[in-house]
């Protein structure tokens, strides 16, 4: 690793940027960006904070580059730089925090790592809808890229059996067009048809109500 052992390591901050809009970004996230010399992230997330990056080294990458981003962020921090690795929403909810901590522990890195929480899309959508998450609830990603679909189905069955309010992330993509339909079929078993369902899209508007159906 470049610079490892030669300089005092910097701090790696894994930053949750919120669901898209500036109004949902926490002071902690903004302070972490100010304190960082290097910002690493997925290109669309970098673009969303472009006005906060003056004078900083910026490293962006594309889809499925999570491992590369984490390794780059760790390397910069080990070389003595203060680094922000950005995620959307909360970095610990389908974000980068888990992979950072896993790699740092596996490689025995002596490095200061801070996880900066952020608002999730689930929270922003819930606020726009009213208060659907007041009691027990669950969240499931429908992406089967890393988790087998049969395991996801078992989770959905448990949620339906427990009669929990459920938030679904990653409901479809160009190559996965039937997952949402299949998930809703599982969740609707033995439940009344009067249960409300909302689709919340593209949380880049200052007003989430503009993107809620």
């Amino acid at each position: 690793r470049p610079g490892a052992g030669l300089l005092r390591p910097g701090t790696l901050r894994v930053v949750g940027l919120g669901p898209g809009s500036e109004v949902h970004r926490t002071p902690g996230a903004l302070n972490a960006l100010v304190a960082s010399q290097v910002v690493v992230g997925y290109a669309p997330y970098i673009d969303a904070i472009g006005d906060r990056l003056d004078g900083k080294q910026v490293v962006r990458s594309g889809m499925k580059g999570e491992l590369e981003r984490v390794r780059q962020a760790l390397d910069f921090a080990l070389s003595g730089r203060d680094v922000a690795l950005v995620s959307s929403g909360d970095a610990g909810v389908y974000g980068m925090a888990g992979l950072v901590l896993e790699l740092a522990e596996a490689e025995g890195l002596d490095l200061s790592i801070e996880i900066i929480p952020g608002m999730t899309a689930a929270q922003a959508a819930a606020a726009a809808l009213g208060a659907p998450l007041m009691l027990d609830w669950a969240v499931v990603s429908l992406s089967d890229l890393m988790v087998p679909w049969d395991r996801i189905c078992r989770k959905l069955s448990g949620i339906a059996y427990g009669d929990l309010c459920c938030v679904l992330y990653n409901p479809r993509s160009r190559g996965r067009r039937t997952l949402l339909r299949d998930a809703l079929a599982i969740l609707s078993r033995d439940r009344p048809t009067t249960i409300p369902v909302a689709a919340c899209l593209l949380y880049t508007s200052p007003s989430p109500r503009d993107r809620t159906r």
Side-chain angles (χ1 to χ4, degrees), residues 40-79:
V40 181
Y42 177 46
Y45 305 157
I46 293 291
D47 293 341
I49 54 172
D51 60 335
R52 302 279 179 175
L53 302 179
D54 288 348
K56 302 182 186 299
Q57 183 175 351
V58 178
V59 180
R60 66 181 70 210
S61 56
M63 184 72 72
K64 300 182 180 180
E66 291 84 359
L67 182 58
E68 176 190 4
R69 288 194 284 276
V70 170
R71 292 198 176 280
Q72 288 173 326
L74 289 170
D75 284 343
F76 279 119
L78 287 170
S79 71

Short mmCIF file of all heavy atoms in Angstrom, two decimals, residues 40-79:
data_model
loop_
_atom_site.label_atom_id
_atom_site.label_comp_id
_atom_site.label_asym_id
_atom_site.label_seq_id
_atom_site.Cartn_x
_atom_site.Cartn_y
_atom_site.Cartn_z
N VAL A 40 -13.82 10.03 -2.03
CA VAL A 40 -13.93 8.86 -2.90
C VAL A 40 -15.38 8.44 -2.96
O VAL A 40 -16.06 8.41 -1.92
CB VAL A 40 -13.07 7.69 -2.36
CG1 VAL A 40 -13.18 6.47 -3.28
CG2 VAL A 40 -11.62 8.11 -2.19
N GLY A 41 -15.89 8.09 -4.16
CA GLY A 41 -17.27 7.65 -4.22
C GLY A 41 -17.73 7.25 -5.61
O GLY A 41 -17.04 7.46 -6.61
N TYR A 42 -18.92 6.70 -5.63
CA TYR A 42 -19.63 6.37 -6.87
C TYR A 42 -19.94 7.68 -7.59
O TYR A 42 -20.38 8.66 -6.98
CB TYR A 42 -20.90 5.60 -6.49
CG TYR A 42 -21.82 5.23 -7.61
CD1 TYR A 42 -21.35 4.67 -8.80
CD2 TYR A 42 -23.20 5.40 -7.48
CE1 TYR A 42 -22.22 4.30 -9.81
CE2 TYR A 42 -24.08 5.04 -8.47
CZ TYR A 42 -23.58 4.49 -9.64
OH TYR A 42 -24.46 4.13 -10.64
N ALA A 43 -19.74 7.71 -8.90
CA ALA A 43 -19.78 8.95 -9.67
C ALA A 43 -21.05 9.78 -9.44
O ALA A 43 -20.96 11.00 -9.22
CB ALA A 43 -19.59 8.65 -11.15
N PRO A 44 -22.25 9.21 -9.47
CA PRO A 44 -23.45 10.04 -9.24
C PRO A 44 -23.48 10.68 -7.86
O PRO A 44 -24.00 11.80 -7.70
CB PRO A 44 -24.61 9.05 -9.42
CG PRO A 44 -24.07 8.00 -10.32
CD PRO A 44 -22.63 7.85 -9.90
N TYR A 45 -22.93 10.00 -6.84
CA TYR A 45 -22.90 10.58 -5.50
C TYR A 45 -21.89 11.73 -5.44
O TYR A 45 -22.13 12.73 -4.76
CB TYR A 45 -22.56 9.53 -4.45
CG TYR A 45 -23.46 8.31 -4.46
CD1 TYR A 45 -23.03 7.10 -3.94
CD2 TYR A 45 -24.74 8.37 -5.00
CE1 TYR A 45 -23.85 5.98 -3.95
CE2 TYR A 45 -25.56 7.26 -5.01
CZ TYR A 45 -25.11 6.06 -4.48
OH TYR A 45 -25.93 4.96 -4.48
N ILE A 46 -20.79 11.56 -6.13
CA ILE A 46 -19.80 12.64 -6.22
C ILE A 46 -20.41 13.86 -6.90
O ILE A 46 -20.25 15.01 -6.46
CB ILE A 46 -18.55 12.18 -6.98
CG1 ILE A 46 -17.80 11.10 -6.18
CG2 ILE A 46 -17.64 13.35 -7.30
CD1 ILE A 46 -17.14 11.60 -4.92
N ASP A 47 -21.14 13.63 -7.99
CA ASP A 47 -21.78 14.73 -8.71
C ASP A 47 -22.76 15.49 -7.82
O ASP A 47 -22.91 16.71 -7.93
CB ASP A 47 -22.51 14.20 -9.95
CG ASP A 47 -21.55 13.65 -11.00
OD1 ASP A 47 -20.36 14.00 -10.95
OD2 ASP A 47 -22.01 12.86 -11.85
N ALA A 48 -23.44 14.76 -6.92
CA ALA A 48 -24.45 15.38 -6.07
C ALA A 48 -23.85 16.35 -5.06
O ALA A 48 -24.56 17.22 -4.53
CB ALA A 48 -25.26 14.30 -5.34
N ILE A 49 -22.56 16.21 -4.77
CA ILE A 49 -21.92 17.09 -3.79
C ILE A 49 -20.81 17.91 -4.45
O ILE A 49 -19.88 18.37 -3.78
CB ILE A 49 -21.33 16.29 -2.60
CG1 ILE A 49 -20.39 15.17 -3.11
CG2 ILE A 49 -22.45 15.69 -1.77
CD1 ILE A 49 -19.63 14.47 -2.01
N GLY A 50 -20.94 18.12 -5.75
CA GLY A 50 -19.90 18.82 -6.50
C GLY A 50 -19.55 20.19 -5.94
O GLY A 50 -18.39 20.61 -5.98
N ASP A 51 -20.54 20.88 -5.37
CA ASP A 51 -20.29 22.22 -4.83
C ASP A 51 -19.54 22.19 -3.50
O ASP A 51 -19.17 23.23 -2.97
CB ASP A 51 -21.60 22.98 -4.65
CG ASP A 51 -22.56 22.28 -3.71
OD1 ASP A 51 -22.45 21.04 -3.56
OD2 ASP A 51 -23.42 22.96 -3.12
N ARG A 52 -19.30 21.00 -2.97
CA ARG A 52 -18.59 20.85 -1.69
C ARG A 52 -17.16 20.34 -1.88
O ARG A 52 -16.49 20.03 -0.89
CB ARG A 52 -19.33 19.85 -0.80
CG ARG A 52 -20.78 20.21 -0.50
CD ARG A 52 -20.88 21.22 0.59
NE ARG A 52 -22.26 21.60 0.87
CZ ARG A 52 -22.59 22.40 1.86
NH1 ARG A 52 -21.67 22.89 2.66
NH2 ARG A 52 -23.86 22.72 2.06
N LEU A 53 -16.69 20.25 -3.10
CA LEU A 53 -15.43 19.56 -3.37
C LEU A 53 -14.29 20.45 -3.82
O LEU A 53 -13.24 19.95 -4.22
CB LEU A 53 -15.68 18.47 -4.43
CG LEU A 53 -16.74 17.42 -4.07
CD1 LEU A 53 -16.91 16.43 -5.20
CD2 LEU A 53 -16.38 16.72 -2.76
N ASP A 54 -14.45 21.76 -3.76
CA ASP A 54 -13.39 22.66 -4.19
C ASP A 54 -12.12 22.42 -3.38
O ASP A 54 -12.15 22.35 -2.14
CB ASP A 54 -13.82 24.12 -4.02
CG ASP A 54 -14.87 24.53 -5.03
OD1 ASP A 54 -15.09 23.77 -5.99
OD2 ASP A 54 -15.48 25.61 -4.85
N GLY A 55 -11.02 22.28 -4.08
CA GLY A 55 -9.72 22.12 -3.43
C GLY A 55 -9.43 20.72 -2.93
O GLY A 55 -8.39 20.49 -2.29
N LYS A 56 -10.32 19.77 -3.21
CA LYS A 56 -10.12 18.40 -2.72
C LYS A 56 -9.76 17.47 -3.89
O LYS A 56 -10.18 17.70 -5.02
CB LYS A 56 -11.39 17.89 -2.04
CG LYS A 56 -11.83 18.75 -0.87
CD LYS A 56 -13.05 18.20 -0.18
CE LYS A 56 -13.54 19.17 0.89
NZ LYS A 56 -12.53 19.39 1.94
N GLN A 57 -9.01 16.44 -3.58
CA GLN A 57 -8.78 15.40 -4.58
C GLN A 57 -10.01 14.52 -4.63
O GLN A 57 -10.52 14.07 -3.60
CB GLN A 57 -7.55 14.57 -4.22
CG GLN A 57 -7.23 13.50 -5.27
CD GLN A 57 -5.94 12.75 -4.97
OE1 GLN A 57 -5.19 13.14 -4.06
NE2 GLN A 57 -5.69 11.69 -5.71
N VAL A 58 -10.53 14.30 -5.82
CA VAL A 58 -11.77 13.54 -5.99
C VAL A 58 -11.48 12.29 -6.80
O VAL A 58 -10.86 12.34 -7.87
CB VAL A 58 -12.84 14.39 -6.70
CG1 VAL A 58 -14.11 13.57 -6.92
CG2 VAL A 58 -13.15 15.64 -5.87
N VAL A 59 -11.93 11.15 -6.29
CA VAL A 59 -11.76 9.87 -6.98
C VAL A 59 -13.14 9.27 -7.15
O VAL A 59 -13.81 8.94 -6.18
CB VAL A 59 -10.86 8.91 -6.18
CG1 VAL A 59 -10.70 7.59 -6.93
CG2 VAL A 59 -9.51 9.55 -5.91
N ARG A 60 -13.57 9.11 -8.39
CA ARG A 60 -14.89 8.58 -8.67
C ARG A 60 -14.78 7.29 -9.45
O ARG A 60 -13.81 7.06 -10.18
CB ARG A 60 -15.74 9.60 -9.43
CG ARG A 60 -15.23 9.90 -10.83
CD ARG A 60 -16.11 10.93 -11.52
NE ARG A 60 -15.97 12.25 -10.93
CZ ARG A 60 -16.94 13.14 -10.90
NH1 ARG A 60 -18.12 12.85 -11.42
NH2 ARG A 60 -16.75 14.32 -10.36
N SER A 61 -15.77 6.43 -9.31
CA SER A 61 -15.79 5.18 -10.07
C SER A 61 -17.23 4.80 -10.36
O SER A 61 -18.17 5.43 -9.87
CB SER A 61 -15.07 4.06 -9.31
OG SER A 61 -15.63 3.88 -8.02
N GLY A 62 -17.41 3.75 -11.17
CA GLY A 62 -18.73 3.40 -11.65
C GLY A 62 -19.39 2.29 -10.86
O GLY A 62 -18.92 1.87 -9.79
N MET A 63 -20.49 1.80 -11.42
CA MET A 63 -21.27 0.73 -10.80
C MET A 63 -20.41 -0.51 -10.59
O MET A 63 -19.53 -0.81 -11.39
CB MET A 63 -22.46 0.41 -11.71
CG MET A 63 -23.41 -0.62 -11.16
SD MET A 63 -24.40 0.01 -9.80
CE MET A 63 -25.53 1.11 -10.66
N LYS A 64 -20.65 -1.20 -9.49
CA LYS A 64 -19.96 -2.44 -9.12
C LYS A 64 -18.48 -2.21 -8.79
O LYS A 64 -17.68 -3.15 -8.82
CB LYS A 64 -20.09 -3.50 -10.21
CG LYS A 64 -21.53 -3.90 -10.50
CD LYS A 64 -21.61 -4.99 -11.55
CE LYS A 64 -23.06 -5.37 -11.83
NZ LYS A 64 -23.18 -6.43 -12.85
N GLY A 65 -18.12 -0.96 -8.45
CA GLY A 65 -16.74 -0.67 -8.08
C GLY A 65 -16.53 -0.52 -6.59
O GLY A 65 -15.60 0.17 -6.16
N GLU A 66 -17.40 -1.16 -5.79
CA GLU A 66 -17.37 -0.95 -4.34
C GLU A 66 -16.03 -1.35 -3.73
O GLU A 66 -15.46 -0.60 -2.92
CB GLU A 66 -18.50 -1.73 -3.66
CG GLU A 66 -19.89 -1.20 -3.95
CD GLU A 66 -20.46 -1.73 -5.26
OE1 GLU A 66 -19.76 -2.51 -5.95
OE2 GLU A 66 -21.61 -1.37 -5.59
N LEU A 67 -15.53 -2.52 -4.08
CA LEU A 67 -14.28 -2.99 -3.49
C LEU A 67 -13.12 -2.08 -3.87
O LEU A 67 -12.28 -1.73 -3.03
CB LEU A 67 -13.99 -4.42 -3.94
CG LEU A 67 -12.73 -5.06 -3.36
CD1 LEU A 67 -12.77 -5.10 -1.84
CD2 LEU A 67 -12.56 -6.48 -3.93
N GLU A 68 -13.10 -1.64 -5.12
CA GLU A 68 -12.06 -0.72 -5.57
C GLU A 68 -12.12 0.59 -4.79
O GLU A 68 -11.08 1.13 -4.37
CB GLU A 68 -12.22 -0.44 -7.06
CG GLU A 68 -11.24 0.59 -7.62
CD GLU A 68 -11.57 1.01 -9.03
OE1 GLU A 68 -12.61 0.57 -9.56
OE2 GLU A 68 -10.80 1.81 -9.60
N ARG A 69 -13.32 1.12 -4.57
CA ARG A 69 -13.45 2.38 -3.84
C ARG A 69 -12.95 2.24 -2.40
O ARG A 69 -12.25 3.12 -1.88
CB ARG A 69 -14.91 2.84 -3.84
CG ARG A 69 -15.39 3.35 -5.18
CD ARG A 69 -16.69 4.10 -5.06
NE ARG A 69 -17.84 3.23 -4.88
CZ ARG A 69 -18.49 2.64 -5.88
NH1 ARG A 69 -18.07 2.81 -7.13
NH2 ARG A 69 -19.54 1.89 -5.64
N VAL A 70 -13.30 1.14 -1.77
CA VAL A 70 -12.86 0.94 -0.39
C VAL A 70 -11.35 0.83 -0.32
O VAL A 70 -10.70 1.44 0.55
CB VAL A 70 -13.52 -0.32 0.21
CG1 VAL A 70 -12.88 -0.68 1.55
CG2 VAL A 70 -15.01 -0.09 0.40
N ARG A 71 -10.75 0.08 -1.23
CA ARG A 71 -9.29 -0.06 -1.21
C ARG A 71 -8.60 1.27 -1.48
O ARG A 71 -7.58 1.59 -0.86
CB ARG A 71 -8.84 -1.11 -2.22
CG ARG A 71 -9.28 -2.53 -1.85
CD ARG A 71 -8.49 -3.58 -2.58
NE ARG A 71 -8.85 -4.91 -2.16
CZ ARG A 71 -8.42 -5.50 -1.05
NH1 ARG A 71 -7.59 -4.86 -0.24
NH2 ARG A 71 -8.80 -6.73 -0.75
N GLN A 72 -9.14 2.06 -2.39
CA GLN A 72 -8.57 3.38 -2.66
C GLN A 72 -8.65 4.26 -1.42
O GLN A 72 -7.68 4.93 -1.05
CB GLN A 72 -9.28 4.03 -3.83
CG GLN A 72 -8.98 3.41 -5.18
CD GLN A 72 -9.84 4.00 -6.29
OE1 GLN A 72 -11.01 4.35 -6.08
NE2 GLN A 72 -9.29 4.11 -7.47
N ALA A 73 -9.80 4.26 -0.76
CA ALA A 73 -9.98 5.09 0.43
C ALA A 73 -9.03 4.66 1.54
O ALA A 73 -8.42 5.51 2.22
CB ALA A 73 -11.43 5.01 0.90
N LEU A 74 -8.88 3.36 1.75
CA LEU A 74 -7.96 2.87 2.77
C LEU A 74 -6.52 3.26 2.44
O LEU A 74 -5.75 3.68 3.32
CB LEU A 74 -8.07 1.35 2.88
CG LEU A 74 -9.35 0.81 3.52
CD1 LEU A 74 -9.43 -0.71 3.35
CD2 LEU A 74 -9.43 1.18 5.00
N ASP A 75 -6.14 3.15 1.19
CA ASP A 75 -4.78 3.49 0.79
C ASP A 75 -4.48 4.97 1.03
O ASP A 75 -3.41 5.33 1.53
CB ASP A 75 -4.55 3.15 -0.69
CG ASP A 75 -4.37 1.67 -0.94
OD1 ASP A 75 -4.10 0.94 0.04
OD2 ASP A 75 -4.51 1.23 -2.09
N PHE A 76 -5.42 5.83 0.66
CA PHE A 76 -5.21 7.26 0.89
C PHE A 76 -5.07 7.55 2.38
O PHE A 76 -4.21 8.34 2.79
CB PHE A 76 -6.37 8.07 0.31
CG PHE A 76 -6.29 8.30 -1.17
CD1 PHE A 76 -7.28 7.83 -2.02
CD2 PHE A 76 -5.23 9.01 -1.72
CE1 PHE A 76 -7.21 8.04 -3.39
CE2 PHE A 76 -5.14 9.23 -3.10
CZ PHE A 76 -6.14 8.74 -3.93
N ALA A 77 -5.91 6.95 3.19
CA ALA A 77 -5.84 7.19 4.64
C ALA A 77 -4.53 6.66 5.22
O ALA A 77 -3.92 7.31 6.07
CB ALA A 77 -7.04 6.54 5.34
N LEU A 78 -4.09 5.51 4.76
CA LEU A 78 -2.83 4.95 5.25
C LEU A 78 -1.64 5.81 4.87
O LEU A 78 -0.61 5.81 5.55
CB LEU A 78 -2.64 3.53 4.72
CG LEU A 78 -3.55 2.46 5.34
CD1 LEU A 78 -3.44 1.16 4.54
CD2 LEU A 78 -3.19 2.22 6.80
N SER A 79 -1.77 6.56 3.78
CA SER A 79 -0.68 7.42 3.34
C SER A 79 -0.68 8.78 4.05
O SER A 79 0.15 9.63 3.76
CB SER A 79 -0.76 7.65 1.82
OG SER A 79 -1.86 8.48 1.49
#
